Amino acid sequence: PCLGCRRPRLPFAMRSVVVLCALFALALATELPAKGAVGYLGDKIVQATGSGYVEAIADLQTGVKVTSQGSGCDRGSTDPWCYVQRATVRLDPRSTRSTVRDEDLLALMGDPQHLHWVFVDKHYFSCMDSRQTEEVLATPGGDLAEFILALTVYEELTNNRLSPEEVSEILIDFLGPHTKKNYFAHCSDTDALTLLQDDVGAVQLNLRNPPEELRNKILERVVVPQNIGDVHIRYMVEKPDEYYTRPQLVQATIQAFYELLWQNHHKIKLNVLHGNASAIAVVNVGTGSECFSCGLAPLVAPKTNQEEILVNHPDAVQLLREDLADFIARRCGAIDVVTLKHRMNVLGSLQLMSTVQRMANNLPFYTVTFD
């Protein structure tokens, strides 16, 4: 090497050609699937050889030949849909070596031409739990955790600690005319419910409608970590230094949720899960640019007759965070909505990583993208 020497410059025209070639190569690298990637194309499950999808490795088991004509989405329908040309599966290179075949994982996700699409701003987010049999949009902790995330960042940016009364008022306002969401969801499970039942001295406790005389005691004990059935929210209380949360804020939000549940608020949804989780993989569900621009995302069932997977919708949750940031900025004032959303994304990613490491550290981590 020549230290301090000046390298000769290429002529302008040649430099332009080099730059254009580099950009063209980058575009190709972006568009073409990586060698070995598995995905749907038309009515085949195919595998990439490095120059595109050319090798069919299995027929789709739908019984219907799909031609995949057209593009775009239906914005105005009450039963929205989006054209999907392909679905690709990628294993995170840092992930544990997987014993799950890509084609089997695709089969669990379902035929991309027959996905159930929903408008993200009108649908609730469930928790990231493999025991759910219904099709869901999922994020760690569901709607409740995302609401806690927004309030946590608000407190950080304003150096203002919200009181339990303020938390309750903000939640009520968010669930008012502002939101288009059909429900606002939170998960628990039968193990936590049993512990809570013993804790408050109840028999066959109905958490959706407990006896009036037990409600104050339940509010005190439902925020104790062992009685919180959603592991992500439990960690928010148990490990505030790792999750950058204020436990009292998390607990106040949980209590506000249950108070609205007992008031029969029409948008509050509690999902109590049963049995033991036995996920075989963590799956990020990605949405192509056209579907995403329409505000759509596909629902996925974490538990099928074959296997269980932990489902996360990182693209779709961006739209929820945008909505929450806009609401908090207008409702509480003295805060920039762009900064709020950016901080929510940063902290949300950190919290996701912490939860996945704790509950699924030995599982393979996939991204399945429908575009």
Side-chain angles (χ1 to χ4, degrees):
C2 178
L3 299 178
C5 296
R6 182 178 180 182
R7 295 184 179 180
R9 291 173 60 85
L10 293 173
F12 177 80
M14 189 175 294
R15 294 203 308 272
S16 299
V17 171
V18 171
V19 170
L20 288 173
C21 288
L23 291 174
F24 182 68
L26 178 61
L28 284 177
T30 302
E31 291 298 323
L32 292 177
K35 184 176 181 179
V38 172
Y40 285 111
L41 189 62
D43 63 342
K44 300 287 184 182
I45 295 180
V46 294
Q47 187 167 37
T49 63
S51 59
Y53 285 116
V54 296
E55 181 186 358
I57 60 176
D59 290 326
L60 294 184
Q61 301 300 312
T62 61
V64 178
K65 184 176 179 63
V66 180
T67 58
S68 298
Q69 299 297 317
S71 62
C73 58
D74 181 359
R75 295 173 183 267
S77 174
T78 55
D79 186 19
W81 48 262
C82 191
Y83 283 110
V84 176
Q85 298 289 341
R86 65 182 181 183
T88 55
V89 177
R90 287 185 175 85
L91 176 66
D92 189 311
R94 299 163 296 179
S95 181
T96 303
R97 183 175 177 82
S98 177
T99 58
V100 184
R101 296 191 308 168
D102 289 359
E103 54 267 35
D104 291 339
L105 186 63
L106 276 173
L108 287 175
M109 303 291 289
D111 178 3
Q113 298 297 330
H114 297 88
L115 293 170
H116 182 191
W117 292 86
V118 294
F119 289 107
V120 175
D121 63 346
K122 296 180 180 179
H123 204 276
Y124 69 91
F125 274 81
S126 191
C127 55
M128 190 174 73
D129 195 299
S130 66
R131 292 172 290 180
Q132 299 175 98
T133 56
E134 63 181 352
E135 294 181 324
V136 297
L137 287 183
T139 190
D143 287 316
L144 192 65
E146 291 296 322
F147 188 79
I148 294 168
L149 174 65
L151 296 186
T152 297
V153 175
Y154 169 78
E155 286 194 343
E156 175 206 345
L157 292 175
T158 61
N159 198 29
N160 173 37
R161 291 194 170 190
L162 297 166
S163 68
E165 293 76 20
E166 289 173 318
V167 169
S168 180
E169 290 171 1
I170 295 170
L171 179 56
I172 291 171
D173 287 351
F174 177 71
L175 295 177
H178 165 83
T179 186
K180 299 177 184 176
K181 292 174 73 67
N182 55 351
Y183 295 110
F184 183 89
H186 170 51
C187 293
S188 187
D189 65 10
T190 51
D191 289 343
L193 181 57
T194 298
L195 291 172
L196 176 63
Q197 182 174 275
D198 294 341
D199 208 356
V200 300
V203 178
Q204 295 183 336
L205 178 65
N206 178 4
L207 195 52
R208 293 184 177 87
N209 186 28
E212 290 281 351
E213 63 272 16
L214 284 180
R215 291 186 178 185
N216 287 336
K217 192 171 185 179
I218 291 172
L219 285 178
E220 292 177 5
R221 304 307 298 172
V222 76
V223 296
V224 174
Q226 68 180 28
N227 298 333
I228 299 174
D230 184 288
V231 294
H232 183 74
I233 295 179
R234 183 193 309 154
Y235 292 147
M236 285 181 164
V237 176
E238 278 186 329
K239 305 181 183 302
D241 292 340
E242 184 177 332
Y243 281 75
Y244 298 92
T245 49
R246 184 168 65 88
Q248 295 83 357
L249 174 64
V250 180
Q251 293 169 325
T253 311
I254 297 171
Q255 290 170 332
F257 176 91
Y258 280 103
E259 287 181 318
L260 290 178
L261 175 68
W262 299 337
Q263 294 169 19
N264 296 316
H265 194 290
H266 65 287
K267 292 197 172 184
I268 292 294
K269 179 180 178 67
L270 176 64
N271 189 12
V272 179
L273 303 173
H274 303 264
N276 297 317
S278 56
I280 61 171
V282 181
V283 181
N284 275 339
V285 180
T287 309
S289 58
E290 288 197 26
C291 303
F292 183 79
S293 67
C294 291
L296 295 173
L299 300 182
V300 175
K303 184 175 183 177
T304 66
N305 291 331
Q306 294 86 13
E307 300 287 357
E308 297 179 18
I309 54 177
L310 288 166
V311 176
N312 179 45
H313 284 77
D315 292 341
V317 83
Q318 297 297 313
L319 300 177
L320 173 58
R321 289 174 184 171
E322 188 174 295
D323 183 43
L324 280 165
D326 179 67
F327 167 76
I328 295 294
R330 289 190 294 104
R331 166 65 169 73
C332 302
I335 195 169
D336 177 64
V337 64
V338 176
T339 302
L340 178 56
K341 183 188 175 186
H342 172 70
R343 295 285 187 91
M344 287 176 66
N345 284 332
V346 171
L347 181 55
S349 296
L350 288 173
Q351 292 176 344
L352 168 66
M353 290 172 59
S354 292
T355 295
V356 169
Q357 286 173 357
R358 290 185 174 281
M359 69 183 295
N361 191 40
N362 296 321
L363 297 181
F365 202 103
Y366 286 93
T367 296
V368 178
T369 304
F370 298 100
D371 56 10

